[in-house]
Amino acid sequence: MLGYYDNKHMKKYFILALLVAVQAYGAFAQKDGDAKTILNGLSKKYRSYSSIKTDFVLTVDNKQAGVQNTQTGTLISKIQGNKFRVSLYQPAGKKQVIDQEIISDGKTQWTYMVDEKEVQVNDAGQGDDAFNPAQIFTIYEKGYKYVYNGLQKQNGKTYQVIDLTPEAEKAQFFKIRLMIDKVKKQIYNVLVFDRNGSRYNYTLKTTTPNTPVADAYFSFDAKKHPGVEVVDLR
């Protein structure tokens, strides 16, 4: 069981959990009127932004396997053109050292593994680590039910709690719990329940809208990374 949590696999699951978390911003799910009102309000707000920068902390916990891992990262997403860049940092030390990056200009996606000195190239939306947080406003229009579970107070703040469940019986995640800051009207925390017993706890530390960013930031320039092997999987 422990072999299931090797470093490469864990990186993939950090990314998958991140996908679920950031895409929850656009949840238009059905079944519960209160939840629909809250989620539609979130979607309207984030649709008004040209870009979003989020610093996050993600903890993966599986008590059965005796595993708990925490990783920090930054996501910058540009709404127009479906562009994004995710930077995952090494867990040790106070200085943020990039461990892995996932970059997309909307057409091509690069997965850059720093320690391995390798970048894998796929068409956008393809490959094992493929995701597109630029589509956060539409991903949950279909395939999820939801229910509003009331208010929860934590550290002096009030959060609205919404649970989403996939309609597909064999979905990898069987429940997603959103905690939404009632005052700021922003997602604060996402807890993802995996069928293998893992829980992915994603907390947004900061959310900065309309961050100035050039289009060149959403591509990988091999000339600036000498010695990195480029593996084209297209």
Side-chain angles (χ1 to χ4, degrees):
M1 184 70 176
L2 289 176
Y4 183 82
Y5 293 91
D6 60 31
N7 188 46
K8 183 177 180 181
H9 185 90
M10 192 55 87
K11 288 180 184 178
K12 178 179 177 181
Y13 270 77
F14 274 126
I15 295 167
L16 288 173
L18 173 62
L19 162 67
V20 172
V22 296
Q23 288 179 336
Y25 279 131
F28 286 101
Q30 56 262 347
K31 312 301 182 187
D32 185 306
D34 289 337
K36 182 178 181 179
T37 298
I38 295 169
L39 295 172
N40 281 347
L42 284 174
S43 178
K44 182 179 180 179
K45 180 177 182 178
Y46 286 95
R47 280 180 184 273
S48 69
Y49 299 152
S50 60
S51 63
I52 300 172
K53 178 181 179 182
T54 299
D55 295 309
F56 61 88
V57 177
L58 181 60
T59 299
V60 179
D61 189 5
N62 188 308
K63 290 182 172 57
Q64 295 178 344
V67 171
Q68 186 177 63
N69 291 279
T70 299
Q71 190 157 10
T72 60
T74 300
L75 161 68
I76 298 181
S77 175
K78 195 168 186 178
I79 309 307
Q80 186 176 8
N82 298 330
K83 299 176 175 66
F84 66 87
R85 186 173 189 138
V86 175
S87 301
L88 298 173
Y89 305 115
Q90 294 181 4
K94 295 182 179 180
K95 184 179 179 180
Q96 289 185 328
V97 178
I98 293 177
D99 182 37
Q100 183 176 357
E101 287 193 306
I102 307 94
I103 309 164
S104 176
D105 63 2
K107 297 179 180 179
T108 303
Q109 180 171 303
W110 298 266
T111 301
Y112 176 34
M113 295 162 284
V114 177
D115 287 344
E116 289 84 352
K117 292 186 177 181
E118 178 181 300
V119 59
Q120 296 180 357
V121 186
N122 284 281
D123 292 327
Q126 303 295 321
D128 289 340
D129 296 328
F131 71 95
N132 190 347
Q135 296 177 340
I136 58 179
F137 306 115
T138 59
I139 195 68
Y140 284 132
E141 287 185 349
K142 296 180 181 179
Y144 278 80
K145 302 176 183 179
Y146 61 78
V147 62
Y148 175 57
N149 282 328
L151 301 176
Q152 179 175 328
K153 291 188 176 181
Q154 183 175 310
N155 298 325
K157 294 184 178 181
T158 301
Y159 299 97
Q160 298 163 312
V161 181
I162 296 176
D163 285 350
L164 297 105
T165 55
E167 293 179 345
E169 294 182 359
K170 296 183 179 180
Q172 184 172 353
F173 306 116
F174 68 88
K175 183 169 70 174
I176 303 164
R177 174 163 291 170
L178 309 180
M179 290 180 63
I180 300 162
D181 189 312
K182 186 178 180 181
V183 176
K184 294 183 177 180
K185 300 187 183 303
Q186 294 179 348
I187 290 180
Y188 165 72
N189 182 268
V190 180
L191 181 59
V192 182
F193 297 80
D194 194 293
R195 294 189 185 279
N196 70 7
S198 296
R199 293 188 179 188
Y200 304 91
N201 194 355
Y202 174 85
T203 302
L204 281 70
K205 305 302 290 185
T206 64
T207 300
T208 307
N210 301 321
T211 300
V213 57
D215 285 343
Y217 184 74
F218 301 102
S219 63
F220 182 87
D221 188 347
K223 295 180 180 179
K224 295 181 179 180
H225 298 82
V228 173
E229 180 182 3
V230 178
V231 180
D232 197 329
L233 301 176
R234 291 171 293 182

